[in-house]
Amino acid sequence: QQQQQPSQQQQQQQQPQKRFRIVALDGISDTANLGSLIRTSSAMGIDAIILSDDCCDAWYRRSVRVSMGHVFRVPIVRLESAIAADHGDGGCGNGGSDSGRGMIDVLKRLGEAGITTHAAVIDDDAQLLETVTVTNRIDTNANGITHTTNNRGWCCVLGNEGNGIRSSVAKACHFRIRIGMAQGVDSLSL
């Protein structure tokens, strides 16, 4: 008896699909914080970082220095290219009145691709991070967004240091999550 070798298509179907891990940053205003997030993302094996149009410049010297060069290891995508040309603003973007629109569109497309999106918030009614699971199911969240989870991965949106995630961006996410913290601590740096 001669066994047939599986075709290339059959081999691809048998291999587990890559699960993407993405961090999206909404309005980060401090280049040191951005550099630290880039370094942390690299350490966690994040596949890509998405910056809203009004985030600081990831390639501004302070961000590069704090990232310890990891800015060159993780793919970084800036939405709408609204960076101040002369960097006279400390590397921060000058997002216009439409800031957040590009992020909302990207989150919608990620959802269509089967990637679950999470808004990291401090709201008491948000799901605790340690209880989040990814399964194959169809969900409708509190915002009425229907999403089929098929293990293609996740995207976690982190917001501005002072204001958090824009409400329109948080509403575009499938779920809101929070990190349980000790009493008297209301947030992390972001």
Side-chain angles (χ1 to χ4, degrees), residues 5 19 39 70 75 112 137-138 160 163 171:
Q5 293 289 349
R19 293 195 61 227
R39 186 174 72 239
H70 286 273
E112 290 168 355
R137 65 178 191 266
I138 296 177
N160 174 277
N163 302 314
K171 286 178 184 174

Side-chain angles (χ1 to χ4, degrees), residues 113-133:
I115 294 174
T116 304
T117 56
H118 302 274
V121 297
I122 61 171
D123 306 335
D124 288 335
D125 63 339
Q127 184 177 2
L128 281 169
L129 179 61
E130 58 264 21
T131 66
V132 173
T133 58

Side-chain angles (χ1 to χ4, degrees), residues 24-28 50-56 77-83 93 95 99-103 158 166 169:
L25 304 175
D26 184 36
I28 305 304
I50 301 169
L51 304 177
S52 64
D53 66 333
D54 58 344
C55 271
C56 292
V77 177
R78 170 175 294 285
L79 304 177
E80 301 178 355
S81 299
I83 281 258
S99 288
R101 184 72 242 160
M103 183 67 75
L158 304 172
R166 276 178 270 258
V169 173

Side-chain angles (χ1 to χ4, degrees), residues 151-168:
N151 289 327
R152 292 289 295 148
W154 53 262
C155 174
C156 183
V157 182
L158 304 172
N160 174 277
E161 296 88 345
N163 302 314
I165 301 169
R166 276 178 270 258
S167 62
S168 59

Side-chain angles (χ1 to χ4, degrees), residues 79-80 100-112 172:
L79 304 177
E80 301 178 355
R101 184 72 242 160
M103 183 67 75
I104 293 167
D105 292 341
V106 167
L107 293 170
K108 180 180 178 187
R109 288 176 188 240
L110 289 172
E112 290 168 355

Side-chain angles (χ1 to χ4, degrees), residues 6-147:
S7 70
Q8 184 176 4
Q9 183 180 10
Q10 289 171 328
Q11 288 175 349
Q12 287 174 346
Q13 289 173 349
Q14 292 171 355
Q15 293 175 353
Q17 276 189 323
K18 168 135 175 82
R19 293 195 61 227
F20 295 96
R21 301 185 318 168
I22 302 167
V23 170
L25 304 175
D26 184 36
I28 305 304
S29 61
D30 184 276
T31 52
N33 287 342
L34 181 56
S36 180
L37 282 166
I38 292 167
R39 186 174 72 239
T40 302
S41 295
S42 180
M44 294 176 60
I46 296 299
D47 295 299
I49 298 172
I50 301 169
L51 304 177
S52 64
D53 66 333
D54 58 344
C55 271
C56 292
D57 184 356
W59 295 273
Y60 189 73
R61 67 182 174 268
R62 186 173 179 216
S63 180
V64 172
R65 185 173 58 245
V66 172
S67 81
M68 297 183 69
H70 286 273
V71 70
F72 303 109
R73 295 188 64 186
V74 181
I76 299 172
V77 177
R78 170 175 294 285
L79 304 177
E80 301 178 355
S81 299
I83 281 258
D86 64 356
H87 297 291
D89 60 354
C92 292
N94 60 358
S97 60
D98 244 3
S99 288
R101 184 72 242 160
M103 183 67 75
I104 293 167
D105 292 341
V106 167
L107 293 170
K108 180 180 178 187
R109 288 176 188 240
L110 289 172
E112 290 168 355
I115 294 174
T116 304
T117 56
H118 302 274
V121 297
I122 61 171
D123 306 335
D124 288 335
D125 63 339
Q127 184 177 2
L128 281 169
L129 179 61
E130 58 264 21
T131 66
V132 173
T133 58
V134 178
T135 59
N136 291 323
R137 65 178 191 266
I138 296 177
D139 294 308
T140 302
N141 71 7
N143 298 322
I145 298 173
T146 301
H147 172 67

